[in-house]
Amino acid sequence: MKIALAKVNQTAGKIKENTEKILSYVQKAEEAGCELIVFPLFAICGGPCGFLFENKDFIDENIEAAEFISKNSSINLICGEVFQKTDDNTAYIFADNDIELLKADIKNFSANKKLIVVISCLSYYERKIKEVKDFFTMQAVENNVNIAYLNMLGAQDGYIFDGLALYVNKKGKFKIFDQSFKENLIIFDTDGKDLEIGFNDRNEELYKVLVLGLKDYMNKNGFKKCALGISGGIDSALTAAIAVDAVGAENVLGVLMPSKYTSEQSGSSALKLCKNLNIKTKTVPIENIYNTFINELTPFFDGKEKDLTEENLQARIRGNILMSLSNKFGYLILCTGNKSEDAVGYSTLYGDTSGGYAPISDLYKKDVYTLAKYRNTISKVIPDFIIERPPTAELRENQKDSDSLPEYDILDDILEKILDKKMSYKEIIETGVKKEVLDKVWKLIKNSEYKRRQSPAGTKVSKSAFIKDIDLPITNGYLWNKTNH
């Protein structure tokens, strides 16, 4: 049997355009002599559409599009769509100018079936592709059945759909395994030769996901160009590299905003990074703006020592500069914060949290370093100084992140145990984490939810992404370190 798996990257809500793409793929499959073409779940509506699934007009438009596709397709077609409010896992077969409902539940395999087709729209998280591969291998062998599987491709509101396409026979051997994150029409014969299988390593996979997330966010929301602050730090360096790989160097602007605390090495490394990436730069020194603010505020601050107020003011000036460039020229401003910082609130609200999208917000600091080094294996764009320097916000003399936080290797270990592994207080202490350090980290997590609620959307790469998966109450009196632990 000749089958086509259509890896399509659709846009949520663009029913007309999505329908046109579906029919163009159908035509290609027809011309190739395919008997069946398979599309992922929500191929017509474009992906999970939230409240639109409660909108009668939206549902009616999907029905009309499905009927149009059915009448204009001369081969069998399978895809999933929303025709009515239902909690069932459903797919639809388009054949003989008609639409039939196919109830397909992976739990109800039977040996008399020759082929099971599974379509989905499941968002990506690290290790998901391997888990899906192992699951269908096991199901194929245990149930003596051939399985074709196709997931939606593309990014939507920070969720990534990996576009995984596979065909595994009843012996557990793969004829198809495509995890390329690219649109494609995969045509194969169930009795023909196996197509080549290529596997991404962890860093390659994560990096591709981050690039796809930003690329689709910009393209599907009408942004032509993006801008970000370049500090000479690791976070902005990796974010800039992702941006260039997503939309091209000609569409990325690096903004340098030095203060009196910005070291010469930071400034020169920031410029070197931009040169290596071939992106344009603008330099807007903030010292005069900062001094104006301080002069105006001095009467109100009389008798008060300098503290975080003056430090955060610098970050907010930078945020205002970036957002002004966004307003004037239409740039999407990229926030460069990472998951470790977001978790403990190591950021300035309306300062470095400003922006429209946060590409690395679901990466722990250790993964930022790992992916920066990986990106340099493709082409060395991130200067060694940026990777090797101790992390610093440079908001005061000789400042280091470790002045306020545990070292990142310790912090990330604790965060993983709390957020990803869901370990109890006692379990974490038993691993050797010091009680006073754990108490400090939990307090920072608990007290920073209000900041996270006001932070921009970002690319989800884990099962425990803030905003998407972790929802703490802002008003939160829970003390995890009670004496009974």
Side-chain angles (χ1 to χ4, degrees), residues 235 336-345 360-365 367-368 408 411-412 415-416 419-420 452 461-466 469-470:
D235 297 320
T336 63
N338 62 63
K339 188 172 186 175
S340 303
E341 294 170 344
D342 287 350
V344 295
I360 64 170
S361 60
D362 199 24
L363 289 183
Y364 290 119
K365 191 76 169 186
D367 291 321
V368 175
Y408 278 113
L411 175 61
D412 286 351
L415 292 175
E416 282 189 325
L419 304 176
D420 302 301
R452 292 189 289 269
V461 299
S462 74
K463 286 185 177 181
S464 60
F466 286 115
D469 306 301
I470 300 173

Side-chain angles (χ1 to χ4, degrees), residues 50-67:
F51 184 68
L52 288 177
F53 286 157
E54 305 291 329
N55 184 297
K56 185 178 184 302
D57 292 330
F58 183 78
I59 299 300
D60 288 345
E61 282 192 47
N62 277 274
I63 294 172
E64 291 170 7
E67 291 172 344

Side-chain angles (χ1 to χ4, degrees), residues 66-77:
E67 291 172 344
F68 183 77
I69 290 169
S70 179
K71 288 179 170 56
N72 287 275
S73 175
S74 61
I75 63 173
N76 296 320
L77 185 153

